[in-house]
Amino acid sequence: MSESDTHPILIVDDQEKLLRLIVMLMTRIGFPDVEGVTSAPEALERLRQRRYALVISDLDMEPMDGISLLREIRADDALMNTPFMLTESSFDFEDINLAHQAGADAFILKPFDMAVLKTKLKQVLNRKPRKREAPMAAESSLSVEFPMLGKF
């Protein structure tokens, strides 16, 4: 695979030192094109300018957190299939539940365990693309006559 047919990875973390460390780590494990930004709004701007193979985002950022960034990506038809991993030093059940509902592909704890990181990257990058669910019918499907229930 030539570099021209591999897409870059976007890292989003509001802590600059950690951002540089993650970019360096991803480069070392074999990703030739890794970019980093320090805010979710900046990430959205980049995502709308260039196609990325993966977004790895910190959960706890201001003014827009990782889950809000994820929701924006999943709501955009052009971006909805971008694989997305959330990172944080600890996750509670509510974080995981919200992220799962928003469409996160994976979670990874900081500091990264290299074996876990590589396994999750393979899983996320090899998954099938999402399909947008069929839009809701303008008219309720219950507006028909049911033999036992009458007309709804």
Side-chain angles (χ1 to χ4, degrees):
M1 193 184 299
S2 72
E3 193 171 318
S4 63
D5 57 14
T6 60
H7 296 289
I9 292 177
L10 183 63
I11 311 296
V12 189
D13 199 307
D14 57 353
Q15 295 179 38
E16 283 197 46
K17 284 183 181 178
L18 195 51
L19 177 67
R20 285 194 306 269
L21 183 67
I22 297 168
V23 167
M24 186 176 68
L25 179 69
M26 295 299 290
T27 304
R28 278 195 185 153
I29 63 172
F31 294 93
D33 191 356
V34 183
E35 296 178 13
V37 295
T38 56
S39 73
E42 188 179 356
L44 281 171
E45 189 177 308
R46 293 273 185 104
L47 284 158
R48 290 184 174 126
Q49 294 170 354
R50 186 175 187 196
R51 184 168 174 212
Y52 289 86
L54 172 66
V55 174
I56 300 175
S57 175
D58 185 36
L59 174 66
D60 190 24
M61 299 183 293
E62 292 292 333
M64 179 186 221
D65 67 13
I67 290 176
S68 298
L69 172 61
L70 173 58
R71 286 182 180 134
E72 289 282 330
I73 290 169
R74 294 295 181 248
D76 186 317
D77 285 341
L79 303 175
M80 70 180 251
N81 275 310
T82 305
F84 194 98
M85 290 176 64
L86 274 170
T87 66
E88 191 52 67
S89 55
S90 69
F91 287 107
D92 63 28
F93 179 76
E94 187 178 338
D95 292 335
I96 292 171
N97 192 35
L98 285 171
H100 178 71
Q101 289 174 356
D105 294 299
F107 309 90
I108 189 160
L109 290 172
K110 295 184 227 174
F112 299 148
D113 174 287
M114 289 305 292
V116 172
L117 177 62
K118 287 177 182 180
T119 299
K120 290 198 181 230
L121 286 167
K122 282 180 189 170
Q123 290 171 347
V124 168
L125 293 171
N126 290 324
R127 73 163 176 71
K128 293 189 184 335
R130 290 183 158 65
K131 290 184 180 158
R132 180 74 70 206
E133 291 179 21
M136 296 290 288
E139 186 177 305
S140 170
S141 60
L142 292 177
S143 62
V144 295
E145 183 136 353
F146 289 92
M148 303 295 283
L149 301 173
K151 187 161 176 79
F152 277 77

